[in-house]
């Protein structure tokens, strides 16, 4: 069936009387579509049925807009059906316009259609739809729905003016929802690609020279070994062959391979081009609006590009989405490398960079995990040889310790802390110092390795000249910013006529003050909750000591530590969601000018709040617990009744390890995995249930949904901020307190192996296809990573110095030990207290708990004994240990920072082979242009010489008639040749 025939059929249907019932017009529409589908080839019919193409089976759907549709009345239904048929007819006429030689044919068709539509509308009874389309004052609009419909019609008219082709579909299987399918013709794609400065591959192909010698042999050997780890993704060309890329230009189309125009711009590029047009196209109802504001005001309910096809059906045609599902978004291929090139091809550079960064981070965790396991095993192997723990666990040890709490707690033997002391040695041994230094250098090497990997990807993805475009795009204002500027202009115009073009700091001052107050309030909430957990530990410990069950009393410390850590985890999970919403609200209040500014401000606020939320309990245990206690007879109390808690004799490092492990594993298992799996599936189920409740008929529900209908049930893409934030917080757990938990890299590695496939499956199956965004780096996330790595050096220095017993052991061994060994270290760290010096009402209720009266008890601190001239004052040993601790912090920090800078200096940011290849590409590009220009010159010269020969033959013919004309013919010929040569 020809296009003219299609138009004729539908126009003849449109000319029917409006008085006919709606069912007749619906049958006409249905049968008309049925005949059209039968006229297509089977392959085109399949494409059209799956919703990837327009009804003609030729024009691909590049983007989809959805809008609410109310159930129409009979008269209005016929008018809407007539309007749909007219829209389809004009779409075909507009599609034929580019093939006409008249450059104004498209505009003529569009004006003819608008005139015809106005004529048809005027012949109808007075209806809100007709009046809105004509822009005249007619009947009162039917509330918000008619106002939204007016904005849609205006916006879609502007899209057609921009050259896009639209097709509406309101006869869908999703009740109450209409779809606008958008197609970008070839000339529009070329125009926008030139505006967006897209780099496209040219015809020129060159060979990338590989390194020679020993390096090449080693590289080939490694590639053969890891060959089974590569995904089975077909490569269209060898790895050492690369297309020379150049910014697309309509004037230089001869440089590009345009043999297949349908696939020259892939689906990812086509959708990003359409999205740029949607952002740029605005309608003026009450104020200027773009697609973002139209979505926010409910004029459209969703806007998204389509996925390539199905993934579950065996009969589904091969496509990139199906290939990604089989070779990437599958747990059975967890051991393989990611097909980053295919991910970038399907989702764009920004998402490709995220998964490339996540893959490199996971690879770098492998050596860190191995070293961490070795350190842990070293602690296990040396626990029996650890002299301090042996002294504590010795059966003849009869050291009596002071009560851990007032009244209800009794005296206790130090030997009962044997298990805690042995467990503390697993994480508090000399190897942890080495591991802290190693992890600081590991973080520096990871950052440098990523910069090199990023530069290599920029070269492979043709992003080496992306800076100029990025600078131009970041100044593009957001719709909300323009709206605020317009509001300000309208309010100022009543007083002064000058136009306001931007928001000043004074305009944003209330938002800035709100940001500061709310950020401080949220941080204060976090501190208050941590303080509440402290009170819980203190009160619960006292209550459990009062229990009559001996088993309960013997496991007080473990019970309190574990339950408090779980409470902290639950609070962290809840506050994470609250803080994410608060950060977004605060960023919206600021009204940032550009999308880039909005994203960076949102990321910074979210990072500050979530970082404080996750690490405040850990920082308290590491640096404050046990240091604000006081001493027996002069304890520090909260609210005059709660005595501040102490660390166990093995130190707070064991409790720090428990808190860190529960928080890290809980966040990874619950928040990162269960939430990511469960929440999207739950939302998808809710949308599906709602659609089932209002569906038309059971048999229609059983029919296969179109591609754009299926994608509507998927979860909208919310950006990469949650994914990056999750990994940045994990990076903090791995680096900040690694001295207390050397197994953190191992748990992070196991989580990330699952996380990569989980995120991949979410992107491929659970989310709508995001609009491809170009980026040459990971943006502000790199600065956050660098900041966390630098802070980690300082925190680990303080953990080793003040939280662990590493420094006191070294001071005792080299300054106070009589034989240079660790024998006597435990006794050296304990001070004496006379039990008669207890405050009244604070002594224990059971002084004979051990079976004998106690006169002296011991407590962990460096203080003078009660028989000295200055009883209970801080001893000189305390100051010696403190001085060494501070010196260690300074030395450790500067040495590690210096070593990190050396690593940074030794590893170049740009690999040498990439630098050479970029330089060679520039030379080849210049050579290509020179050859093309030379070919043009030669072509014009050949044309000029051909013209000269024709003139010469004509002059010879004229010589037979008139010999005088010979001289006059020579000068113009020679003049033409000289002019042609000089012009080039």
């Amino acid at each position: 069936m020809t296009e003219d025939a299609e138009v004729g059929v539908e126009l003849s249907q449109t000319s029917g009387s409006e008085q006919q019932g709606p069912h007749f017009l619906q049958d006409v529409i249905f049968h008309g579509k049925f005949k059209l589908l039968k006229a297509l080839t089977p392959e085109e019919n399949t494409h059209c049925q799956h919703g990837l193409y327009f009804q003609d089976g030729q024009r691909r759907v590049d983007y989809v807009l959805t809008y609410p549709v109310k159930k129409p009345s009979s008269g209005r239904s016929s008018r809407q059906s007539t309007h749909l048929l007219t829209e389809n007819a004009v779409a075909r006429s507009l599609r034929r316009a580019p093939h006409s030689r008249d450059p104004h044919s498209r505009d003529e068709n569009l004006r003819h259609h608008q005139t015809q539509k106005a004529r048809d509308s005027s012949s109808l009874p007075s209806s809100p739809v007709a009046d809105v389309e004509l822009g005249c004052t007619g009947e009162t609009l039917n509330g918000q729905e008619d106002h939204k419909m007016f904005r849609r019609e205006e916006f879609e008219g502007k899209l057609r003016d921009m050259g896009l082709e639209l097709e509406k579909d309101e006869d869908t299987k999703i009740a109450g929802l209409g779809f606008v399918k958008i197609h970008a013709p070839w000339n529009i794609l070329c125009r926008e690609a030139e505006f967006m400065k897209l780099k496209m591959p040219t015809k020129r192909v060159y060979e990338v020279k590989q390194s020679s010698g020993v390096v090449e042999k080693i590289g080939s050997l490694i590639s053969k070994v890891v060959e089974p780890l590569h995904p089975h993704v077909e490569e269209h060309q060898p790895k050492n062959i690369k297309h020379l890329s150049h910014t697309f230009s309509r004037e230089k189309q001869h440089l590009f391979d345009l043999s297949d125009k349908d696939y020259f711009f892939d689906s990812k590029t086509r959708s990003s081009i359409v999205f740029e047009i949607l952002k740029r196209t605005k309608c003026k109802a009450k104020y200027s609006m773009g697609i973002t504001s139209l979505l926010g005001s409910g004029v459209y309910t969703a806007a998204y590009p389509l996925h390539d096809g199905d993934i579950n059906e065996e009969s589904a045609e091969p496509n990139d989405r199906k290939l990604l599902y089989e070779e990437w978004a599958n747990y059975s291929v967890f051991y393989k490398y990611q097909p980053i090139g295919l991910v970038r091809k399907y989702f764009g550079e920004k998402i490709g960079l995220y998964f490339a960064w996540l893959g490199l981070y996971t690879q770098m965790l492998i050596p860190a995990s191995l070293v961490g396991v070795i350190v842990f095993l070293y602690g296990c192997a040396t626990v029996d040889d650890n002299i301090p723990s042996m002294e504590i666990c010795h059966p003849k040890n009869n050291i009596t310790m002071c009560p851990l709490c007032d009244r209800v707690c009794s005296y206790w033997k130090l030997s009962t802390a044997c298990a805690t002391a042995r467990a503390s040695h697993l994480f508090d041994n000399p190897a942890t110092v080495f591991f802290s230094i190693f992890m600081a250098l590991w973080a520096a090497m990871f950052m440098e390795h990523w910069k090199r990997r990023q530069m290599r990807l920029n070269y492979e993805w043709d992003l080496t000249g992306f800076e100029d475009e990025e600078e131009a795009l970041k100044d593009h204002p957001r719709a909300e910013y323009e709206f605020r500027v317009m509001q300000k202009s309208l309010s100022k115009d009543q007083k002064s006529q000058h136009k306001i073009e931007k928001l000043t700091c004074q305009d944003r001052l209330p938002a800035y003050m709100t940001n500061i107050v709310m950020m401080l309030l949220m941080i204060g909430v976090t501190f208050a909750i941590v303080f509440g957990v402290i009170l819980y530990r203190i009160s619960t410990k006292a209550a459990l000591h009062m229990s009559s069950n001996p088993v309960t009393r013997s496991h007080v410390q473990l019970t309190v530590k574990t339950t408090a850590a779980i409470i902290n985890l639950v609070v962290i999970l809840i506050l994470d969601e609250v803080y994410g919403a608060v950060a977004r609200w605060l960023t919206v209040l600021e009204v940032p000018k550009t999308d880039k500014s909005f994203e960076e401000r949102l990321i910074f606020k979210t990072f500050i709040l979530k970082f404080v939320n996750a690490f405040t309990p850990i920082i308290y245990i590491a640096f404050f617990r046990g240091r604000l206690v006081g001493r027996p007879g002069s304890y520090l109390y909260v609210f005059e009744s709660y005595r501040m808690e102490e660390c166990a004799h093995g130190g707070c490092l064991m409790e720090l390890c428990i808190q860190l492990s529960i928080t890290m594993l809980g966040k990874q298992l619950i928040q990162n995995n269960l939430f990511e799996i469960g929440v999207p599936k739950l939302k998808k189920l809710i949308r599906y249930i709602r659609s089932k409740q209002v569906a038309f008929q059971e048999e229609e529900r059983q029919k296969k949904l179109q591609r754009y209908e299926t994608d509507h049930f998927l979860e909208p893409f919310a950006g990469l901020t949650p994914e990056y934030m999750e990994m940045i917080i994990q990076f903090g757990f791995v680096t900040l307190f690694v001295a207390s938990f050397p197994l953190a890299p191992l748990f992070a590695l196991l989580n990330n192996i699952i996380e990569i496939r989980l995120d991949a499956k979410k992107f491929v199956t659970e989310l709508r296809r995001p609009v491809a965004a170009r980026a040459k780096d990971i943006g502000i996330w790199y600065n956050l990573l660098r900041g966390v790595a630098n802070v980690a050096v300082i925190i680990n220095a303080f953990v080793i110095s003040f939280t662990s017993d590493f420094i006191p052991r070294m001071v005792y061994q080299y300054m106070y030990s009589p034989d240079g060994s660790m024998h006597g270290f435990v006794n050296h760290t304990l001070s004496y207290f006379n039990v008669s010096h207890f405050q009244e009402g604070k002594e224990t209720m059971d002084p004979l708990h051990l079976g004998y009266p106690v006169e002296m008890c011991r407590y962990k601190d460096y203080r003078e004994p009660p028989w000295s001239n200055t009883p209970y004052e801080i001893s000189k040993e305390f100051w010696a240990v403190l001085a060494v601790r501070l010196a260690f912090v300074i030395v450790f920090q500067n040495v590690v920072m210096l070593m990190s800078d050396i690593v940074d200096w030794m590893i170049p940011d740009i690999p040498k082979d990439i630098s050479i290849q970029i330089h060679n590409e520039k030379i080849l590009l210049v050579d290509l242009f020179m050859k093309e220009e030379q070919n043009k010159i030669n072509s014009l010269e050949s044309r000029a010489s051909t013209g000269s020969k024709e003139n010469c033959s004509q002059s010879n013919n004229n010589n037979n008639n008139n010999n005088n004309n010979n001289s006059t013919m020579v000068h113009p010929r020679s003049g033409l040749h000289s002019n042609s040569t000089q012009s080039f």
Side-chain angles (χ1 to χ4, degrees):
M1 180 183 289
T2 62
E3 294 176 352
D4 294 333
E6 293 171 8
V7 175
V9 169
E10 294 199 2
L11 289 179
S12 64
Q13 294 169 353
T14 309
S15 63
S17 173
E18 186 189 350
Q19 296 176 356
Q20 292 176 330
H23 299 290
F24 172 75
L25 281 178
Q26 290 176 358
D27 291 339
V28 169
I29 296 172
F30 176 77
H31 290 299
K33 292 179 180 178
F34 181 72
K35 291 179 181 178
L36 178 63
L37 289 175
K38 288 189 67 176
L40 300 173
T41 63
E43 183 180 358
E44 292 172 334
N45 195 351
T46 302
H47 286 314
C48 185
Q49 184 179 4
H50 289 175
L52 292 172
Y53 289 81
F54 277 20
Q55 290 293 336
D56 57 13
Q58 297 177 1
R59 291 174 292 172
R60 185 179 183 90
V61 179
D62 297 321
Y63 217 87
V64 171
L65 305 177
T66 66
Y67 57 93
V69 177
K70 295 180 67 176
K71 191 172 183 180
S73 61
S74 59
R76 189 163 182 174
S77 174
S78 62
R79 290 194 297 272
Q80 286 183 346
S81 301
T82 304
H83 175 66
L84 280 174
L85 293 173
T86 308
E87 292 294 339
N88 290 335
V90 74
R92 293 182 180 86
S93 65
L94 289 176
R95 183 168 53 86
R96 292 195 303 271
H99 300 289
S100 175
R101 293 184 179 275
D102 185 4
H104 302 288
S105 57
R106 179 181 292 272
D107 297 333
E108 294 293 337
N109 289 333
L110 183 59
R111 286 195 294 270
H112 173 72
H113 164 62
Q114 292 174 344
T115 306
Q116 182 67 30
K117 184 165 63 175
R119 189 184 302 115
D120 294 341
S121 301
S122 62
S123 65
L124 297 173
S126 59
S127 65
V129 179
D131 294 335
V132 168
E133 288 178 350
L134 289 171
C136 302
T137 306
E139 294 183 354
T140 305
L141 294 177
N142 186 15
Q144 289 291 333
E145 295 301 323
D146 290 328
H147 187 58
K148 291 178 181 179
M149 183 173 60
F150 166 67
R151 291 184 178 177
R152 280 197 299 271
E153 294 292 335
E154 185 182 6
F155 184 71
E156 291 164 14
K158 293 290 184 65
L159 293 181
R160 294 189 184 95
D161 293 341
M162 294 293 291
L164 298 179
E165 298 177 4
L166 277 61
E167 183 178 81
K168 285 189 176 182
D169 185 6
E170 295 183 358
D171 186 21
T172 64
K173 300 176 184 62
I174 305 177
L177 199 65
F179 294 86
V180 179
K181 295 175 282 186
I182 303 176
H183 169 76
W186 169 256
N187 60 329
I188 304 301
L189 293 174
C190 294
R191 182 192 70 195
E192 296 298 324
E194 185 173 351
F195 290 165
M196 296 170 63
K197 300 179 181 179
L198 296 180
K199 269 193 171 184
M200 304 301 295
T202 63
K203 298 177 184 178
R204 179 70 181 272
V205 178
Y206 68 96
E207 181 179 0
V208 178
K209 293 184 178 180
Q210 303 292 334
S211 57
S212 59
V214 180
V215 178
E216 182 182 7
K217 293 180 180 179
I218 296 175
S220 61
L221 179 62
I222 294 176
S223 62
K224 290 180 181 179
V225 172
V226 300
E227 182 65 28
L229 302 180
H230 289 283
H232 299 293
V233 179
E234 295 183 1
E235 296 289 344
H236 298 289
Q237 60 186 18
K239 293 183 178 179
N240 60 338
I241 299 297
K242 189 177 186 297
H243 278 277
L244 189 63
S245 298
H246 181 62
T247 304
F248 186 83
S249 172
R250 287 173 289 181
E251 296 180 354
K252 297 183 177 65
Q253 290 192 25
H254 57 278
L255 297 177
F256 306 93
D257 184 9
L258 303 180
S259 58
D260 191 355
K261 293 184 178 180
D262 292 336
Y263 294 97
F264 180 74
F265 296 106
D266 56 16
S267 59
K268 173 253 303 181
T269 306
R270 296 174 69 97
S271 62
S272 62
I273 288 175
V274 174
F275 181 67
E276 286 297 323
I277 298 177
L278 291 175
K279 286 198 304 183
R280 201 169 62 237
T281 304
K282 299 180 181 179
C283 63
K284 294 183 179 179
K286 288 185 178 180
Y287 46 84
S288 178
M289 300 182 72
I291 185 60
T292 307
S293 298
L294 291 174
L295 288 170
S297 59
V299 177
Y300 291 102
T301 56
Y304 52 89
L306 297 182
H307 280 291
D308 275 358
D310 294 326
I311 55 176
N312 295 321
E313 294 185 3
E314 296 181 359
S315 59
E317 298 181 2
N319 56 74
D320 289 341
R321 187 189 185 198
K322 186 176 179 64
L323 188 58
L324 283 172
Y325 180 76
E326 294 172 350
E327 296 295 331
W328 183 51
N330 200 330
Y331 293 111
S332 62
V333 294
F334 72 92
Y335 60 92
K336 291 187 177 182
Y337 291 108
Q338 300 181 85
I340 295 298
L342 187 60
V343 174
R344 172 252 180 179
K345 178 186 175 184
Y346 191 78
F347 291 110
E349 286 80 5
K350 194 169 186 177
I351 295 177
L353 279 174
Y354 163 71
F355 281 103
W357 174 84
L358 181 57
L360 180 65
Y361 171 48
T362 304
Q363 290 178 21
M364 291 292 291
L365 282 173
I366 295 176
S369 302
L370 292 176
V371 177
V373 171
I374 292 173
V375 170
F376 179 76
L377 293 178
Y378 170 81
C380 295
T382 59
V383 66
D384 292 331
D385 300 329
N386 183 39
I387 296 177
S389 61
M390 291 172 60
E391 289 183 349
I392 294 175
C393 298
H394 198 279
K396 294 183 179 180
N397 180 17
N398 58 355
I399 298 178
T400 303
M401 303 296 293
C402 297
L404 295 175
C405 60
D406 293 336
R407 301 292 293 170
V408 297
C409 297
S410 302
Y411 303 107
W412 57 286
K413 290 290 187 180
L414 181 60
S415 58
T416 58
C418 176
T420 305
R422 289 174 63 87
S424 297
H425 178 74
L426 301 179
F427 306 99
D428 187 5
N429 55 72
T432 57
V433 179
F434 158 76
F435 190 54
S436 299
I437 299 174
F438 170 81
M439 288 303 296
L441 298 179
W442 172 87
M445 293 188 66
F446 166 60
M447 306 300 290
E448 293 304 313
H449 195 179
W450 167 244
K451 286 195 290 186
R452 291 170 60 84
R453 172 70 170 154
Q454 188 172 258
M455 182 55 65
R456 190 175 294 277
L457 290 177
N458 286 339
Y459 167 72
E460 294 175 356
W461 295 350
D462 299 319
L463 295 172
T464 50
F466 186 59
E467 293 87 357
D468 295 336
E469 182 203 353
E470 200 172 39
E471 290 295 324
L473 287 178
K474 73 178 184 180
D475 292 329
H476 185 72
R478 298 169 61 244
E480 291 81 357
Y481 179 84
E482 290 182 337
F483 176 53
R484 283 288 301 274
V485 169
M486 184 167 294
Q487 282 185 323
K488 182 178 178 180
S489 301
L490 292 176
S491 62
K492 293 292 184 182
D493 283 344
Q494 300 175 358
K495 301 178 181 179
S496 59
Q497 298 298 322
H498 66 278
K499 186 177 180 181
I500 306 297
E501 296 183 352
K502 65 178 182 178
L503 297 178
T504 62
C505 292
Q506 185 177 0
D507 299 324
R508 290 195 175 102
L509 185 61
Y512 289 154
M513 296 302 298
T514 305
N515 269 262
I516 295 173
V517 172
M518 287 300 298
M519 291 285 287
L520 294 177
L521 177 62
M522 293 297 102
I523 294 175
V525 168
T526 303
F527 290 162
I529 291 175
V530 171
F531 185 71
V533 175
I534 294 172
L535 295 182
Y536 161 80
R537 279 200 292 255
I538 296 172
S539 58
T540 304
K541 184 184 296 183
L544 292 178
H545 274 293
M546 296 174 63
S547 174
S548 59
N549 190 344
V551 178
T552 303
R553 291 197 304 270
S554 62
H555 295 87
V556 170
Q557 293 288 343
L558 181 62
T559 303
V560 172
K561 292 175 184 177
T562 306
T563 55
I566 293 175
I567 292 173
N568 273 323
L569 171 63
V570 174
V571 171
I572 287 172
L573 295 179
I574 295 174
L575 289 184
D576 265 355
E577 303 301 321
V578 175
Y579 288 165
V582 169
R584 178 167 290 275
W585 173 65
L586 292 176
T587 309
V588 170
L589 282 182
E590 291 184 14
V591 196
K593 182 177 181 180
T594 63
D595 289 330
K596 184 179 178 65
S597 176
F598 181 90
E599 184 181 17
E600 289 181 348
R601 295 185 185 201
L602 174 62
I603 289 171
F604 182 74
K605 293 183 183 66
T606 308
F607 173 75
I608 292 296
L609 292 176
K610 291 193 175 184
F611 186 88
V612 171
N613 181 39
F615 291 101
T616 298
I618 300 173
I619 290 175
Y620 162 74
I621 294 174
F623 302 126
F624 296 100
R625 184 177 177 181
R627 289 169 178 78
L628 304 174
V629 178
R631 60 171 180 83
S634 180
Y635 283 115
L636 180 65
Y637 291 89
V638 180
F639 303 136
E640 298 182 356
S641 57
Y642 293 99
R643 190 176 114 187
M644 291 299 294
E645 52 188 345
E646 302 179 46
C647 292
H649 184 74
C652 284
L653 203 65
M654 188 62 196
E655 186 169 350
L656 176 62
C657 177
I658 293 175
Q659 178 69 57
L660 192 62
S661 59
I662 291 179
T663 304
M664 181 180 179
L665 296 178
K667 279 180 65 67
Q668 291 182 166
L669 293 177
I670 298 175
Q671 187 179 40
N672 300 350
N673 294 332
L674 293 182
F675 283 8
E676 288 189 9
I677 296 174
V679 172
K681 288 187 178 295
L682 182 61
K683 291 182 178 180
K684 183 179 178 181
L685 179 63
I686 292 174
R687 283 195 297 270
Y688 181 72
I689 292 174
R690 287 178 178 175
S691 67
K692 295 272 283 186
Q693 290 175 348
V694 295
F696 287 113
Q697 296 176 358
E698 182 65 27
E699 56 269 16
E700 288 184 349
R701 290 201 297 263
Q702 300 300 328
K703 293 179 182 178
K704 180 177 176 61
L705 294 176
Q706 301 287 335
R707 178 78 264 153
Y708 49 85
E709 294 172 326
T710 305
D711 286 2
H712 181 265
F713 288 111
L714 301 178
E715 182 73 11
F717 175 65
L720 290 171
T721 299
E723 316 298 335
Y724 273 115
M725 189 65 65
E726 168 188 334
M727 290 295 106
I728 295 294
I729 297 297
Q730 186 201 83
F731 184 76
F733 282 119
V734 169
T735 56
L736 290 177
F737 295 93
V738 73
S740 62
F741 191 38
L743 294 179
L746 176 64
F747 289 120
L749 173 64
L750 297 177
N751 173 81
N752 288 4
I753 291 174
I754 301 174
E755 180 73 20
I756 291 176
R757 306 303 164 180
L758 180 64
D759 284 349
K761 194 168 186 178
K762 181 175 68 173
F763 272 84
V764 174
T765 63
E766 301 293 339
L767 297 180
R768 293 173 187 164
R769 187 175 184 178
V771 178
R774 285 185 295 168
K776 66 177 302 178
D777 52 41
I778 60 176
I780 192 176
W781 298 110
Y782 180 83
N783 298 329
L784 294 178
L785 282 170
R786 177 69 74 180
V788 170
N790 291 335
V791 172
V793 176
I794 302 173
I795 288 185
N796 279 300
F798 276 95
V799 168
I800 295 171
S801 296
F802 289 90
T803 308
S804 73
D805 283 337
F806 175 76
I807 298 300
R809 287 197 298 264
M810 295 298 102
V811 171
Y812 174 78
Q813 184 175 2
Y814 294 106
M815 292 180 62
Y816 298 103
S817 176
D819 55 357
S821 68
M822 293 300 297
H823 290 286
F825 170 73
V826 174
N827 187 64
H828 178 75
T829 58
L830 297 178
S831 299
Y832 290 89
F833 178 74
N834 191 333
V835 297
S836 62
H837 295 165
F838 271 121
Q839 294 177 343
E840 186 177 355
K842 303 297 183 181
E843 65 276 1
T844 178
M845 294 187 299
D846 188 11
L848 299 178
H849 174 71
L850 298 178
Y852 56 88
V854 177
E855 296 181 357
M856 287 285 181
C857 64
R858 309 290 295 273
Y859 62 98
K860 189 175 182 179
D861 203 350
Y862 290 101
R863 290 182 180 271
E864 297 291 340
W867 55 82
S868 68
N869 296 329
T870 55
Y872 307 126
E873 293 295 327
I874 294 176
S875 64
K876 61 180 181 180
E877 288 85 356
F878 172 83
W879 299 111
V881 171
L882 180 61
V884 176
R885 280 173 166 170
L886 294 176
F888 178 84
V889 169
I890 296 173
V891 173
F892 182 90
Q893 175 184 341
N894 286 277
V895 169
V896 173
M897 288 288 189
L898 178 62
M899 296 174 68
S900 299
D901 291 340
I902 292 175
V903 171
D904 192 356
W905 173 74
M906 292 179 60
I907 303 177
D909 294 345
I910 304 177
K912 186 176 181 180
D913 59 329
I914 296 299
S915 178
I916 295 174
Q917 290 168 12
I918 293 174
H919 179 70
N920 292 339
E921 265 201 9
K922 292 180 180 179
I923 297 176
L924 290 173
L925 199 58
V926 172
D927 183 55
L928 176 64
F929 280 118
M930 293 299 294
K931 287 184 178 179
E932 290 294 333
E933 292 298 327
Q934 187 64 38
N935 291 337
K936 284 184 179 180
I937 295 173
N938 294 338
S939 177
L940 291 175
E941 285 183 349
S942 63
R943 290 179 184 178
S945 62
T946 303
S948 300
K949 291 180 181 179
E950 291 177 356
N951 291 335
C952 183
S953 61
Q954 184 178 0
S955 64
N956 291 332
N957 292 333
N958 292 335
N959 281 338
N960 296 331
N961 298 326
N962 187 0
N963 292 330
N964 295 331
N965 293 336
N966 187 28
S967 61
T968 60
M969 295 300 293
V970 175
H971 300 291
R973 183 171 67 252
S974 60
L976 174 65
H977 179 73
S978 61
N979 289 337
S980 300
T981 305
Q982 291 173 1
S983 63
F984 292 99

